[in-house]
Amino acid sequence: MAVQKPSIPKGTRDFKPTEMAGRNYIFNTIRSVFEVFGYLPIETPAIENLTTLTGKYGEEGDKLLFKILNSGNFLDGISPVADPQLPIPGYRELTPLISEKGLRYDLTVPFARFVVQHQNELIFPFKRYQIQPVWRADRPQKGRYREFFQCDVDVVGSASLLYEVELIQIIDEVFSRFGIETTTLFNNRKILAGIAEAIGSPQSLTDITVAIDKLDKVGLEKVCQELKERGLNDLAIRALQPVLLMEGTISDKIETLEGLLKNSETGKKGIEELKHLCSLLKEMKLRNKWNFDVRLARGLNYYTGTIIEVKANDIAMGSICGGGRYDDLTGIFGLPGVSGVGISFGADRIYDVMAELNRFPETIQQPTTVLFANFGPEEERFALQVLAEVRKEGIPSEIYPDASKLKKQLEYASRKQIPFVALIGKDEIESGMVAVKDMNTGGQSLMGREEFISRLKNKS
RNA sequence: GUGGUCGUAGCUCAGCCGGUUAGAGCGUCAGAUUGUGGAUCUGAAGGUCGUGGGUUCGAUCCCCAUCUUCCACCCCA
């Protein structure tokens, strides 16, 4: 058989030990912040029933779902070309027949499913965190992978704005610990809905949000042009101008919106929530910036209230954290009227930002503390005993597998950044001492076992 | 899904107008040095030129397809 070139699917990556050190540092930090705020972990399967996933992320989202072909003969019982009289079904019709499972696209929808399924066993408000990979059949590019980790915190079973505040505090704490300066932008879907109402086309909420989301990128003119293409009339577009051009402090913006939305109940509710949130946040003394931004839209269509997005200040990268409130995500699974709010940290993007900004602490690598050199079968037996003692003390240690030249053994230690090498040869066995070489200074000294171990303990 | 881009040794990259046996640096391995790493020197190994077709007397080079990389759009973490 011809050897095949080893490869992994597009948009996926292998992680070497040095990279894992950074990744674990990120996961551990985020996890410990989540726990400080009283969230508990759950996990859900990588694969879900396709019916759980489809239709939750909009039409675009459905296209990005990885679907799993049914096991066995997935064509059993369906034969689209057997009868030439019948029309050949499109992939939309065919997909559910040959695939009934898919890889999860995010952690929020599986969580909603989880909550409904276990509703009688959970304590509400239910606060959970979840750190697991998700998959999207997207085309890879900067900061975009087909397999990546999300770190979600959500709370369901309460509509309290206290949780919005809590999530923004979590964001602040996480990025402070990472040393990344961020800006947390938020908006409220109810305000966007109110705007759509106010300009007389409530049905074009999505079109409006998608278009104005691009304002920073493409400018006012193109946004208006796009709105026109999406079917908005000139009057509506003109009515939208004050929103698009809105500047100044949060209270300035709120004032503008109050004028515009005075006839929209939904809009007024949104403004009220916004004001409440801002007044709470003002008292929190956060270290990172935050701001209200009407132009923030977010495409995920299950959001109904506050929406949140976080960007790193010093680097061009998509959002590194995002989320919002969803009033009825559990409704589709048969549990209506349960409000939830949550955010998701993009661990892989955070890694990229940390790497580029050089924010990883030096101490995250945990290399072996001591290597026992190998001088042959006799010495090996003796070294093994000392090694066991050292390991009993919890000191990461290893022995070189064969009696290669010392040069080679030391080089191995040097490359693995192992700070100490224990040399136990015939002389040492006789005297009961250990020769310890300090790889940083190059110096070497003889010591008894107890001193040896306490020396390693202090250094490790 | 749309548009563009990249692919030559483990890594970073040369390779002239299409022409003999595809090169360099770094790394790897061995030795100089049989109980002492990082330096130096000597030597060696390592290539389906991403893959598959095509044009040509002849293709790493030109054409087509495909995979992969990176980037923009869409969308998003």
Side-chain angles (χ1 to χ4, degrees):
Chain A
M1 198 175 104
V3 288
Q4 56 180 13
K5 203 174 184 176
S7 65
I8 53 174
K10 185 203 306 204
T12 64
R13 292 139 315 142
D14 288 327
F15 301 107
K16 294 180 280 287
T18 30
E19 294 161 320
M20 282 313 295
R23 290 173 66 81
N24 284 334
Y25 168 71
I26 289 172
F27 294 138
N28 293 339
T29 305
I30 290 176
R31 182 181 298 117
S32 75
V33 174
F34 288 172
E35 289 181 352
V36 165
F37 281 81
Y39 290 79
L40 296 170
I42 71 159
E43 288 198 2
T44 64
I47 54 177
E48 290 276 352
N49 292 325
L50 218 42
T51 50
T52 302
L53 303 174
T54 43
K56 312 299 188 297
Y57 309 105
E59 205 173 318
E60 287 299 311
D62 282 358
K63 283 187 199 157
L64 299 180
L65 281 172
F66 276 109
K67 296 162 194 85
I68 298 170
L69 222 42
N70 290 342
S71 333
N73 180 5
F74 56 87
L75 289 178
D76 201 25
I78 54 161
S79 175
V81 289
D83 184 352
Q85 298 303 109
L86 291 173
I88 294 171
Y91 77 99
R92 267 172 219 280
E93 292 75 40
L94 201 53
T95 302
L97 299 177
I98 60 172
S99 166
E100 50 192 27
K101 293 177 288 302
L103 293 173
R104 71 164 100 80
Y105 175 94
D106 71 358
L107 301 177
T108 310
V109 168
F111 175 53
R113 189 224 86 220
F114 174 97
V115 168
V116 178
Q117 210 171 319
H118 302 285
Q119 49 184 294
N120 296 323
E121 305 145 65
L122 303 177
I123 301 160
F124 291 96
F126 181 55
K127 304 176 75 172
R128 76 86 231 230
Y129 73 85
Q130 188 171 355
I131 299 176
Q132 289 191 275
V134 303
W135 294 269
R136 295 183 188 177
D138 220 346
R139 203 173 276 204
Q141 58 179 280
K142 188 183 174 77
R144 175 169 304 191
Y145 306 100
R146 293 185 129 184
E147 177 183 60
F148 60 98
F149 269 75
Q150 291 194 326
C151 313
D152 272 39
V153 245
D154 287 75
V155 50
V156 294
S158 166
S160 170
L161 280 172
L162 249 34
Y163 287 120
E164 267 89 338
V165 176
E166 183 163 290
L167 292 174
I168 292 170
Q169 284 179 287
I170 288 175
I171 291 169
D172 192 60
E173 179 62 28
V174 164
F175 290 115
S176 296
R177 290 198 192 185
F178 285 148
I180 300 175
E181 286 177 23
T182 56
T183 304
T184 300
L185 299 173
F186 51 84
N187 192 4
N188 195 303
R189 269 290 168 94
K190 295 190 179 84
I191 292 177
L192 292 171
I195 291 169
E197 253 177 68
I199 64 169
S201 51
Q203 73 287 351
S204 28
L205 171 63
T206 315
D207 292 325
I208 293 170
T209 53
V210 168
I212 66 176
D213 188 40
K214 291 182 203 160
L215 193 62
D216 290 334
K217 227 176 204 168
V218 300
L220 183 63
E221 218 167 288
K222 289 215 168 137
V223 168
C224 293
Q225 195 185 317
E226 183 169 341
L227 286 168
K228 205 167 184 177
E229 281 163 16
R230 284 171 182 268
L232 255 75
N233 60 49
D234 288 336
L235 202 72
I237 293 174
R238 204 163 326 134
L240 203 56
Q241 297 299 305
V243 176
L244 296 175
L245 298 169
M246 208 153 70
E247 283 297 333
T249 65
I250 292 181
S251 19
D252 291 343
K253 293 181 198 168
I254 289 177
E255 213 170 297
T256 311
L257 286 171
E258 277 175 332
L260 190 74
L261 304 182
K262 57 179 180 291
N263 294 321
S264 160
E265 282 310 312
T266 314
K268 282 197 283 195
K269 185 87 202 309
I271 292 173
E272 197 183 303
E273 288 178 13
L274 175 69
K275 281 161 98 170
H276 189 185
L277 176 60
C278 289
S279 78
L280 287 170
L281 283 176
K282 266 181 204 149
E283 289 158 27
M284 295 317 313
K285 297 197 183 92
L286 299 177
R287 285 156 286 188
N288 285 289
K289 291 182 190 147
W290 53 272
N291 204 350
F292 161 64
D293 184 357
V294 245
R295 301 190 293 242
L296 180 64
R298 296 191 63 77
L300 258 36
N301 52 16
Y302 49 69
Y303 292 122
T304 51
T306 309
I307 45 181
I308 300 168
E309 198 161 288
V310 182
K311 288 193 167 167
N313 291 349
D314 308 313
I315 204 162
M317 173 76 68
S319 60
I320 51 180
C321 179
R325 179 169 288 279
Y326 39 90
D327 279 333
D328 204 28
L329 193 51
T330 56
I332 20 179
F333 299 114
L335 182 62
V338 176
S339 186
V341 61
I343 50 170
S344 179
F345 290 82
D348 302 77
R349 284 187 179 176
I350 291 170
Y351 182 97
D352 291 346
V353 171
M354 301 271 289
E356 207 162 317
L357 260 36
N358 230 311
R359 290 293 143 81
F360 284 117
E362 302 266 331
T363 52
I364 58 173
Q365 291 260 34
Q366 274 201 330
T368 305
T369 302
V370 59
L371 171 76
F372 285 78
N374 190 325
F375 290 107
E378 292 298 313
E379 295 89 337
E380 193 178 273
R381 287 168 179 278
F382 195 82
L384 230 34
Q385 287 173 27
V386 186
L387 176 63
E389 274 179 51
V390 169
R391 284 180 173 162
K392 207 175 249 174
E393 296 296 327
I395 297 160
S397 45
E398 56 182 300
I399 180 166
Y400 201 83
D402 40 43
S404 307
K405 289 181 193 173
L406 231 211
K407 171 190 165 73
K408 201 171 173 183
Q409 302 193 34
L410 288 171
E411 200 171 276
Y412 173 80
S414 179
R415 291 189 57 185
K416 279 191 80 175
Q417 297 183 52
I418 298 173
F420 296 102
V421 175
L423 303 140
I424 305 177
K426 291 213 160 49
D427 298 349
E428 286 81 9
I429 293 174
E430 259 171 49
S431 63
M433 306 290 269
V434 181
V436 182
K437 183 176 172 72
D438 182 328
M439 295 298 282
N440 292 318
T441 63
Q444 185 171 322
S445 46
L446 269 176
M447 56 187 80
R449 287 197 198 184
E450 273 173 33
E451 192 191 345
F452 172 52
I453 286 172
S454 73
R455 176 100 185 263
L456 293 176
K457 270 185 166 172
N458 294 336
K459 280 279 181 173
S460 59

